[in-house]
Protein backbone atom coordinates (compact mmCIF):
# COMPACT_ATOMS: atom_id res chain seq x y z
CA UNK A 1 0.00 0.00 0.00
CA UNK A 2 1.29 3.44 -0.83
CA UNK A 3 2.02 6.06 1.76
CA UNK A 4 -1.03 8.40 1.99
CA UNK A 5 1.01 11.14 0.36
CA UNK A 6 2.36 9.06 -2.49
CA UNK A 7 0.56 8.53 -5.76
CA UNK A 8 0.60 6.54 -8.95
CA UNK A 9 -0.04 9.16 -11.60
CA UNK A 10 -0.37 7.41 -14.89
CA UNK A 11 3.02 8.42 -16.22
CA UNK A 12 1.74 11.32 -18.34
CA UNK A 13 3.00 14.47 -16.74
CA UNK A 14 4.85 17.39 -18.43
CA UNK A 15 2.93 20.55 -18.83
CA UNK A 16 0.54 22.21 -21.22
CA UNK A 17 2.12 24.47 -23.83
CA UNK A 18 0.10 27.50 -22.82
CA UNK A 19 1.30 27.29 -19.21
CA UNK A 20 5.03 26.90 -19.76
CA UNK A 21 7.38 29.82 -19.50
CA UNK A 22 10.54 30.10 -21.61
CA UNK A 23 12.78 28.63 -18.92
CA UNK A 24 10.61 25.58 -18.46
CA UNK A 25 10.44 25.09 -22.23
CA UNK A 26 14.22 25.19 -22.53
CA UNK A 27 14.69 22.81 -19.61
CA UNK A 28 12.24 20.27 -21.00
CA UNK A 29 13.66 20.62 -24.52
CA UNK A 30 17.12 19.74 -23.25
CA UNK A 31 15.72 16.56 -21.77
CA UNK A 32 13.86 15.69 -24.96
CA UNK A 33 10.54 15.35 -23.12
CA UNK A 34 7.27 16.09 -24.94
CA UNK A 35 5.52 19.15 -23.60
CA UNK A 36 1.82 18.56 -23.23
CA UNK A 37 -1.04 18.20 -20.86
CA UNK A 38 0.10 14.58 -20.67
CA UNK A 39 3.36 12.85 -21.53
CA UNK A 40 4.16 9.17 -21.80
CA UNK A 41 7.05 8.88 -19.36
CA UNK A 42 6.75 6.87 -16.19
CA UNK A 43 6.76 8.81 -12.93
CA UNK A 44 5.50 6.39 -10.35
CA UNK A 45 5.05 6.62 -6.60
CA UNK A 46 6.36 10.14 -6.49
CA UNK A 47 6.05 12.00 -3.21
CA UNK A 48 3.58 14.79 -3.63
CA UNK A 49 4.24 18.40 -2.64
CA UNK A 50 2.59 20.18 0.28
CA UNK A 51 -0.96 19.31 -0.72
CA UNK A 52 -2.19 16.20 -2.53
CA UNK A 53 -3.56 16.61 -6.05
CA UNK A 54 -6.79 14.80 -5.28
CA UNK A 55 -9.52 14.14 -2.78
CA UNK A 56 -8.32 11.50 -0.35
CA UNK A 57 -10.97 8.83 0.19
CA UNK A 58 -10.41 7.06 3.48
CA UNK A 59 -10.52 3.29 2.87
CA UNK A 60 -13.65 1.69 4.31
CA UNK A 61 -12.43 -1.91 4.12
CA UNK A 62 -15.98 -3.13 4.67
CA UNK A 63 -16.30 -5.34 1.59
CA UNK A 64 -18.91 -3.18 -0.11
CA UNK A 65 -18.93 -2.71 -3.89
CA UNK A 66 -16.94 0.19 -5.27
CA UNK A 67 -18.78 3.41 -6.01
CA UNK A 68 -18.25 6.03 -8.70
CA UNK A 69 -17.93 9.75 -8.01
CA UNK A 70 -18.38 12.18 -10.89
CA UNK A 71 -17.01 15.72 -10.71
CA UNK A 72 -17.54 18.44 -13.28
CA UNK A 73 -14.76 18.02 -15.88
CA UNK A 74 -13.74 21.69 -16.01
CA UNK A 75 -13.88 24.37 -18.67
CA UNK A 76 -12.62 23.10 -22.02
CA UNK A 77 -12.56 19.48 -20.86
CA UNK A 78 -14.90 16.50 -20.96
CA UNK A 79 -15.09 13.11 -19.33
CA UNK A 80 -14.23 10.27 -21.67
CA UNK A 81 -16.31 7.50 -20.08
CA UNK A 82 -19.57 7.28 -18.16
CA UNK A 83 -20.20 5.53 -14.82
CA UNK A 84 -22.19 2.85 -16.64
CA UNK A 85 -19.26 2.18 -18.98
CA UNK A 86 -16.86 1.89 -16.06
CA UNK A 87 -19.19 -0.50 -14.24
CA UNK A 88 -19.64 -2.62 -17.35
CA UNK A 89 -15.92 -2.82 -18.08
CA UNK A 90 -14.94 -3.75 -14.54
CA UNK A 91 -17.74 -6.32 -14.39
CA UNK A 92 -15.86 -8.29 -17.06
CA UNK A 93 -12.92 -8.83 -14.70
CA UNK A 94 -12.63 -11.60 -12.11
CA UNK A 95 -14.46 -10.64 -8.93
CA UNK A 96 -11.37 -10.87 -6.74
CA UNK A 97 -9.69 -8.14 -8.79
CA UNK A 98 -12.29 -5.68 -7.52
CA UNK A 99 -12.20 -6.50 -3.80
CA UNK A 100 -9.67 -3.79 -2.83
CA UNK A 101 -11.30 -1.18 -5.09
CA UNK A 102 -13.60 1.26 -3.27
CA UNK A 103 -13.78 4.40 -5.40
CA UNK A 104 -13.54 5.30 -9.07
CA UNK A 105 -13.58 9.07 -9.43
CA UNK A 106 -14.10 10.92 -12.70
CA UNK A 107 -12.09 13.91 -11.62
CA UNK A 108 -12.19 17.57 -12.47
CA UNK A 109 -9.40 19.29 -14.36
CA UNK A 110 -8.46 22.46 -12.53
CA UNK A 111 -5.81 25.06 -13.24
CA UNK A 112 -3.71 23.62 -10.46
CA UNK A 113 -3.95 20.09 -11.84
CA UNK A 114 -2.89 21.31 -15.26
CA UNK A 115 0.61 21.70 -13.83
CA UNK A 116 0.85 17.91 -13.32
CA UNK A 117 -2.01 16.44 -15.38
CA UNK A 118 -2.38 12.80 -16.31
CA UNK A 119 -4.91 10.39 -17.75
CA UNK A 120 -5.32 8.39 -14.57
CA UNK A 121 -4.02 7.84 -11.07
CA UNK A 122 -4.25 5.30 -8.28
CA UNK A 123 -4.16 6.55 -4.71
CA UNK A 124 -5.03 4.32 -1.80
CA UNK A 125 -8.15 2.29 -2.63
CA UNK A 126 -9.33 4.79 -5.25
CA UNK A 127 -8.77 5.15 -8.98
CA UNK A 128 -9.00 8.56 -10.64
CA UNK A 129 -9.75 9.12 -14.31
CA UNK A 130 -9.08 12.58 -15.72
CA UNK A 131 -10.96 14.45 -18.45
CA UNK A 132 -9.54 15.26 -21.85
CA UNK A 133 -9.79 18.30 -24.08
CA UNK A 134 -13.24 18.75 -25.63
CA UNK A 135 -11.60 18.77 -29.07
CA UNK A 136 -10.09 15.31 -28.43
CA UNK A 137 -6.77 16.76 -29.58
CA UNK A 138 -3.61 17.05 -27.49
CA UNK A 139 -0.71 19.27 -28.53
CA UNK A 140 3.01 18.53 -28.06
CA UNK A 141 6.15 20.48 -28.92
CA UNK A 142 8.32 17.41 -29.49
CA UNK A 143 7.79 14.35 -31.67
CA UNK A 144 6.51 11.15 -30.05
CA UNK A 145 8.88 8.31 -29.34
CA UNK A 146 8.37 4.98 -31.14
CA UNK A 147 6.77 3.33 -28.11
CA UNK A 148 4.35 6.26 -27.81
CA UNK A 149 3.38 5.91 -31.46
CA UNK A 150 2.83 2.18 -30.99
CA UNK A 151 0.73 2.61 -27.85
CA UNK A 152 -1.55 5.14 -29.51
CA UNK A 153 -1.88 3.04 -32.66
CA UNK A 154 -3.00 0.07 -30.58
CA UNK A 155 -6.08 1.99 -29.52
CA UNK A 156 -6.82 3.97 -32.68
CA UNK A 157 -5.24 7.32 -31.86
CA UNK A 158 -3.45 9.26 -34.60
CA UNK A 159 -0.39 11.53 -34.53
CA UNK A 160 -0.48 14.58 -36.83
CA UNK A 161 2.43 16.91 -37.58
CA UNK A 162 1.09 19.70 -39.78
CA UNK A 163 2.90 22.75 -38.36
CA UNK A 164 6.47 23.40 -37.15
CA UNK A 165 7.29 22.27 -33.61
CA UNK A 166 3.74 21.07 -32.92
CA UNK A 167 2.65 17.45 -32.90
CA UNK A 168 -0.99 16.68 -32.27
CA UNK A 169 -2.45 13.51 -30.88
CA UNK A 170 -5.94 13.14 -32.34
CA UNK A 171 -8.57 10.80 -30.98
CA UNK A 172 -11.96 9.70 -32.21
CA UNK A 173 -14.78 9.10 -29.74
CA UNK A 174 -14.43 5.36 -30.15
CA UNK A 175 -10.65 5.35 -29.85
CA UNK A 176 -10.45 7.45 -26.69
CA UNK A 177 -13.07 5.33 -24.94
CA UNK A 178 -11.15 2.21 -25.88
CA UNK A 179 -7.94 3.79 -24.58
CA UNK A 180 -9.47 4.72 -21.23
CA UNK A 181 -11.54 1.57 -20.61
CA UNK A 182 -9.01 -1.00 -21.82
CA UNK A 183 -5.76 0.70 -20.91
CA UNK A 184 -5.90 3.56 -18.40
CA UNK A 185 -8.58 2.09 -16.11
CA UNK A 186 -7.05 -1.39 -16.11
CA UNK A 187 -3.52 -0.01 -15.76
CA UNK A 188 -4.47 1.88 -12.58
CA UNK A 189 -6.28 -1.14 -11.21
CA UNK A 190 -3.06 -3.07 -11.76
CA UNK A 191 -1.28 -0.62 -9.48
CA UNK A 192 -3.94 -1.10 -6.82
CA UNK A 193 -3.52 -4.86 -6.95
CA UNK A 194 0.29 -4.80 -6.96
CA UNK A 195 1.25 -5.66 -3.38
CA UNK A 196 4.64 -7.15 -4.24
CA UNK A 197 6.67 -4.46 -5.96
CA UNK A 198 8.04 -1.39 -4.24
CA UNK A 199 10.38 0.05 -6.87
CA UNK A 200 8.73 2.50 -9.24
CA UNK A 201 10.08 0.77 -12.34
CA UNK A 202 8.80 -2.62 -11.18
CA UNK A 203 5.39 -1.25 -10.30
CA UNK A 204 5.12 0.37 -13.71
CA UNK A 205 6.20 -2.80 -15.47
CA UNK A 206 3.57 -4.82 -13.59
CA UNK A 207 0.80 -2.30 -14.36
CA UNK A 208 1.70 -2.28 -18.04
CA UNK A 209 1.63 -6.09 -18.13
CA UNK A 210 -1.68 -6.13 -16.26
CA UNK A 211 -3.28 -3.67 -18.68
CA UNK A 212 -2.06 -5.67 -21.65
CA UNK A 213 -3.25 -9.03 -20.31
CA UNK A 214 -6.54 -7.93 -18.76
CA UNK A 215 -7.38 -4.84 -20.79
CA UNK A 216 -6.06 -4.90 -24.31
CA UNK A 217 -5.79 -8.58 -25.26
CA UNK A 218 -9.20 -9.82 -24.04
CA UNK A 219 -11.02 -7.03 -25.88
CA UNK A 220 -9.36 -7.15 -29.29
CA UNK A 221 -11.45 -9.88 -30.87
CA UNK A 222 -14.80 -8.26 -30.10
CA UNK A 223 -13.46 -4.76 -30.72
CA UNK A 224 -12.05 -5.61 -34.13
CA UNK A 225 -15.19 -7.48 -35.14
CA UNK A 226 -17.35 -4.48 -34.26
CA UNK A 227 -15.03 -2.18 -36.20
CA UNK A 228 -15.11 -4.42 -39.26
CA UNK A 229 -18.92 -4.44 -39.20
CA UNK A 230 -19.03 -0.65 -39.56
CA UNK A 231 -19.16 0.94 -43.03
CA UNK A 232 -15.77 2.09 -44.32
CA UNK A 233 -15.31 5.86 -44.45
CA UNK A 234 -12.73 7.61 -46.55
CA UNK A 235 -10.32 9.83 -44.66
CA UNK A 236 -9.51 13.30 -45.92
CA UNK A 237 -6.63 15.58 -45.09
Amino acid sequence: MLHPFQSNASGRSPKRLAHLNAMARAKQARRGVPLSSRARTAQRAQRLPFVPPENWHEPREDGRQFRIIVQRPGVGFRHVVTPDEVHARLADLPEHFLKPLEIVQLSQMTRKKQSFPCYGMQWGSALYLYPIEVSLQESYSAPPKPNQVNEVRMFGGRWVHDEPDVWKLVWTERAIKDFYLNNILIHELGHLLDDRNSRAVDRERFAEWFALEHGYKPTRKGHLAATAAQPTRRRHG
Side-chain angles (χ1 to χ4, degrees):
M1 179 66 68
L2 291 175
H3 186 280
F5 290 97
Q6 290 180 325
S7 71
N8 274 315
S10 197
R12 283 91 172 168
S13 63
K15 304 166 186 178
R16 184 174 309 282
L17 291 169
H19 297 280
L20 285 172
N21 58 32
M23 183 179 296
R25 285 176 185 270
K27 183 177 180 181
Q28 296 285 11
R30 286 196 299 271
R31 295 179 179 175
V33 178
L35 307 180
S36 169
S37 58
R38 302 162 184 90
R40 279 82 183 152
T41 52
Q43 293 184 9
R44 289 287 167 183
Q46 65 184 59
R47 186 167 297 276
L48 301 175
F50 305 101
V51 293
E54 271 301 346
N55 305 107
W56 167 253
H57 299 286
E58 195 67 35
R60 301 187 309 261
E61 299 182 347
D62 56 8
R64 286 186 291 174
Q65 186 183 34
F66 72 89
R67 58 194 177 98
I68 298 180
I69 298 173
V70 181
Q71 298 180 339
R72 293 182 178 181
V75 178
F77 292 87
R78 51 160 292 189
H79 289 307
V80 171
V81 295
T82 68
D84 286 345
E85 289 169 335
V86 172
H87 271 294
R89 181 64 188 90
L90 293 178
D92 288 337
L93 297 174
E95 187 175 344
H96 66 273
F97 282 178
L98 305 182
K99 285 186 177 180
L101 176 62
E102 297 188 1
I103 299 287
V104 177
Q105 179 172 299
L106 305 185
S107 289
Q108 183 181 54
M109 182 62 71
T110 63
R111 181 175 297 181
K112 189 172 187 179
K113 291 176 187 176
Q114 288 180 36
S115 65
F116 46 87
C118 52
Y119 291 116
M121 182 177 76
Q122 174 262 324
W123 193 22
S125 59
L127 308 183
Y128 303 82
L129 299 180
Y130 290 93
I132 196 170
E133 290 82 349
V134 171
S135 65
L136 298 185
Q137 294 187 11
E138 306 172 64
S139 295
Y140 295 76
S141 65
K145 296 180 180 179
N147 64 317
Q148 298 165 4
V149 173
N150 292 335
E151 179 190 33
V152 167
R153 184 186 296 125
M154 288 168 62
F155 294 93
R158 182 168 57 96
W159 288 98
V160 177
H161 183 208
D162 54 8
E163 55 183 300
D165 300 322
V166 176
W167 285 258
K168 291 183 179 179
L169 177 51
V170 181
W171 299 96
T172 63
E173 184 73 23
R174 183 182 183 87
I176 194 63
K177 282 184 180 292
D178 185 22
F179 183 61
Y180 267 66
L181 291 173
N182 296 314
N183 186 16
I184 302 302
L185 176 64
I186 309 302
H187 183 112
E188 300 309 330
L189 181 63
H191 279 298
L192 176 58
L193 295 174
D194 184 6
D195 57 2
R196 295 183 179 182
N197 296 305
S198 57
R199 294 197 312 157
V201 64
D202 294 330
R203 288 183 56 79
E204 183 65 17
R205 185 180 295 115
F206 176 85
E208 289 178 353
W209 169 84
F210 189 86
L212 184 65
E213 292 297 318
H214 299 286
Y216 180 77
K217 287 182 178 179
T219 59
R220 288 311 93 183
K221 184 176 180 180
H223 179 81
L224 293 176
T227 301
Q230 294 182 347
T232 303
R233 295 182 180 178
R234 186 182 300 275
R235 273 186 186 165
H236 299 278

